[in-house]
C-alpha cells in the first residue's frame, strides 16, 4: 500500500487523485463551493464539457456538476 496525502491546493496543479466511491462525498457537497474545493472533494473530473464537469460515482454512475464562469458550483447531480 502507498501512503498518499492530498493537499487542498491539488486542483491548482491537477494533482487531485481520483476517488472511486464519490456518491457519499457528492451528497455532502452544496452549491456555492469553488471548483477547486469540488476537485479536492471528488478528485479530478473524468471529463469537462463546457460548464459540465463529470466525475466517477460508484460502479457505472456518473456525477454531473455545473460550474459557472466564476468557478462556483451551481448544481450537482449525484449519479444517474
Amino acid at each position: 500500500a502507498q501512503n498518499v496525502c492530498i493537499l487542498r491546493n491539488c486542483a491548482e496543479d491537477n494533482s487531485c487523485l481520483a476517488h472511486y466511491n464519490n456518491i457519499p462525498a457528492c451528497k455532502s457537497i452544496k452549491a456555492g463551493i469553488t471548483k477547486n474545493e469540488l476537485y479536492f472533494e471528488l478528485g479530478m473530473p473524468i471529463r469537462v464539457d463546457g460548464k459540465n464537469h463529470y466525475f466517477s460515482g460508484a460502479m457505472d454512475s456518473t456525477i454531473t456538476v455545473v460550474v459557472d464562469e466564476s468557478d462556483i458550483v451551481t448544481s450537482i447531480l449525484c449519479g444517474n
Side-chain angles (χ1 to χ4, degrees):
Q2 181 180 6
N3 292 329
V4 176
C5 180
I6 302 172
L7 302 176
R8 281 200 129 8
N9 66 347
C10 63
E12 295 170 12
D13 61 10
N14 295 321
S15 68
C16 297
L17 298 176
H19 299 264
Y20 299 102
N21 187 12
N22 276 330
I23 299 300
C26 180
K27 290 180 179 179
S28 70
I29 294 173
K30 305 290 183 219
I33 68 170
T34 66
K35 180 179 77 172
N36 285 357
E37 182 68 17
L38 173 71
Y39 286 8
F40 174 74
E41 295 295 335
L42 298 182
M44 300 308 294
I46 55 176
R47 184 170 61 107
V48 176
D49 183 13
K51 294 181 180 184
N52 295 325
H53 296 241
Y54 301 94
F55 299 85
S56 177
M59 303 291 241
D60 293 332
S61 67
T62 302
I63 296 168
T64 304
V65 181
V66 178
V67 178
D68 72 11
E69 57 278 346
S70 299
D71 287 344
I72 301 297
V73 171
T74 59
S75 73
I76 305 158
L77 178 60
C78 295
N80 49 348

